Amino acid sequence: ILGNIFLCIIAGLVSVIAYKTGLTFALLTRYSFGQEGSRIASLFVPIVNLGWYTIQAALYGHFIAQVFNLSYTSEIIAMMLSAVIMGIFAILGIKSLAIFGYIAIPSIVFLSLGTAARSVQTIGGWQELFNYVPLQPIDLLSGITIVIGTWILSTATCIADIMRYGKSKKDVITASTIGLLGGNTLMISCGAIAGVAMNDGDLINVLLSFGLVFPSLLLLTTNIFTTNGANLYSTSLNLANSFKLNRNIMLAVLIAISTLATMTQPYKIDSLFVFLSTLGIIVPPLCGIILDGLLPSSSRKIYRLQQSDFQKMESSSMDYMGRCISVREIHSIRTGFAERDCNRSPTVRSHYVYC
């Protein structure tokens, strides 16, 4: 709960800025990094998102192959088709993602609650669940760090691409709060209950252990398709900003790359997970830089993109890029922030951003 409260604050601030400006995360980076700096900054998020998109698509195809006992060749085809079909939702745009969400979210909620309830019955009731003592317990601070670290990337970046379509400031704040404090807390809790009761924190495996093949397939499909569709949509926006290409053309290229990459079975490549996790540490400070430059106050206003003058490369982008290359673990990075006064003349200040 504490971790999700922190995420709610970040998500709420980013959502409000996206709603007021109507800009994607990639375009918001121009305020702090300039035109050329924005193109570099916009590359970090899609690399991470595309990596996870490919891994999730391959895992989904692998799961289908296991359920239906497919051959190796058929499994490869299933993984490639997964990447293509998930990408179709991103091509259709935000409306298709929203419609799919109306179907997927109730299914995810009810199946997760049902799995948790069945798990409690299996272990012998709530009392047995609360009597559980882990072999290697973690402290509260470590638990909060895990929650924040797992979700901060999408909370700090991708959410802007969705919330810019909000109808009001109240709506975007309410949506981000319900999604994180309500939905995310619920999913983590259901996973924890199933993990303790069944000694397996994967709800899909728990459903399969109960012999519920179709519900497990439904839960996995709705979960991965909604997440991957939104990730690829956000990735296309960032790369379209970096390479100055049409979003649909970029999406076609991304789907083709991911489809071919699934053939390598990326979920078996340990070094890939290390690489993506490292980038996941580097990216979130971008949000701090944007928040510092765009949060409205008496001396700081949000301008429409077409009303702003941008340098090719802000000093904040050079400082950020140089310092983040050496990141090895979660630590604080001292970086420059560029702010503009009402006359849009940049002055540089120093702050601390915590990864």
Side-chain angles (χ1 to χ4, degrees):
I1 293 177
L2 294 177
N4 281 317
I5 289 175
F6 175 84
L7 293 174
C8 279
I9 295 173
I10 299 298
L13 293 174
V14 175
S15 298
V16 169
I17 290 175
Y19 159 73
K20 286 191 173 183
T21 61
L23 302 178
T24 65
F25 175 80
L27 293 179
L28 287 174
T29 59
R30 293 191 183 185
Y31 284 94
S32 299
F33 295 102
Q35 290 184 354
E36 297 302 320
S38 170
R39 296 176 68 176
I40 298 174
S42 298
L43 286 174
F44 284 101
V45 175
I47 290 174
V48 178
N49 281 347
L50 185 61
W52 287 115
Y53 177 90
T54 303
I55 290 173
Q56 294 292 342
L59 279 171
Y60 183 79
H62 177 65
F63 176 78
I64 296 295
Q66 285 186 316
V67 170
F68 295 101
N69 195 26
L70 300 179
S71 64
Y72 174 78
T73 302
S74 298
E75 178 180 348
I76 295 297
I77 294 174
M79 291 190 292
M80 296 176 69
L81 286 176
S82 298
V84 173
I85 296 173
M86 292 176 189
I88 291 176
F89 288 96
I91 292 176
L92 295 177
I94 196 68
K95 289 185 178 180
S96 67
L97 293 174
I99 293 173
F100 188 75
Y102 293 140
I103 301 172
I105 292 175
S107 301
I108 294 172
V109 171
F110 287 124
L111 284 173
S112 299
L113 288 173
T115 305
R118 179 75 175 271
S119 299
V120 171
Q121 291 179 353
T122 302
I123 199 176
W126 289 100
Q127 188 61 44
E128 292 295 326
L129 181 71
F130 290 129
N131 289 336
Y132 173 79
V133 178
L135 296 176
Q136 295 180 330
I138 61 174
D139 56 37
L140 178 62
L141 184 59
S142 297
I144 294 174
T145 302
I146 291 172
V147 172
I148 295 175
T150 301
W151 299 101
I152 188 63
L153 178 63
S154 57
T155 300
T157 58
C158 302
I159 196 170
D161 300 330
I162 307 298
M163 292 303 179
R164 63 192 175 113
Y165 292 108
K167 294 182 179 180
S168 67
K169 183 169 70 173
K170 178 181 178 181
D171 286 344
V172 298
I173 293 176
T174 302
S176 58
T177 301
I178 293 176
L180 287 166
L181 195 56
N184 206 36
T185 300
L186 174 65
M187 294 302 297
I188 293 174
S189 300
C190 289
I193 292 172
V196 170
M198 305 299 295
N199 197 30
D200 191 338
D202 190 327
L203 293 179
I204 305 299
N205 289 339
V206 174
L207 283 170
L208 287 175
S209 68
F210 291 146
L212 303 174
V213 176
F214 177 75
S216 65
L217 183 60
L218 178 61
L219 179 59
L220 185 64
T221 301
T222 53
N223 194 358
I224 290 183
F225 271 63
T226 51
T227 303
N228 262 9
N231 282 344
L232 192 64
Y233 175 79
S234 180
T235 298
S236 67
L237 293 174
N238 280 275
L239 289 180
N241 174 67
S242 295
F243 296 103
K244 304 301 180 184
L245 292 176
N246 178 272
R247 185 181 71 87
N248 288 332
I249 295 176
M250 182 56 67
L251 271 172
V253 173
L254 292 173
I255 292 173
I257 293 173
S258 180
T259 300
L260 294 174
T262 57
M263 298 174 64
T264 65
Q265 297 179 308
Y267 52 86
K268 295 182 179 180
I269 305 175
D270 293 337
S271 57
L272 180 60
F273 287 91
V274 175
F275 173 71
L276 293 175
S277 298
T278 301
L279 283 183
I281 295 172
I282 295 174
V283 172
L286 288 171
C287 176
I289 297 173
I290 292 173
L291 289 177
D292 178 84
L294 293 179
L295 280 178
S297 65
S298 58
S299 61
R300 197 180 297 157
K301 295 182 179 180
I302 297 179
Y303 293 97
R304 290 288 178 183
L305 185 64
Q306 61 270 24
Q307 295 175 319
S308 298
D309 298 329
F310 300 107
Q311 295 183 4
K312 286 189 175 181
M313 184 78 76
E314 294 287 358
S315 59
S316 60
S317 62
M318 296 300 295
D319 191 41
Y320 171 82
M321 301 303 171
R323 293 178 185 274
C324 280
I325 290 174
S326 62
V327 171
R328 292 291 185 274
E329 58 187 11
I330 297 178
H331 62 284
S332 62
I333 300 176
R334 190 172 186 266
T335 186
F337 284 73
E339 81 169 84
R340 289 173 171 78
D341 59 14
C342 293
N343 294 321
R344 300 193 292 271
S345 59
T347 59
V348 178
R349 300 183 303 165
S350 293
H351 289 269
Y352 285 94
V353 179
Y354 295 94
C355 293

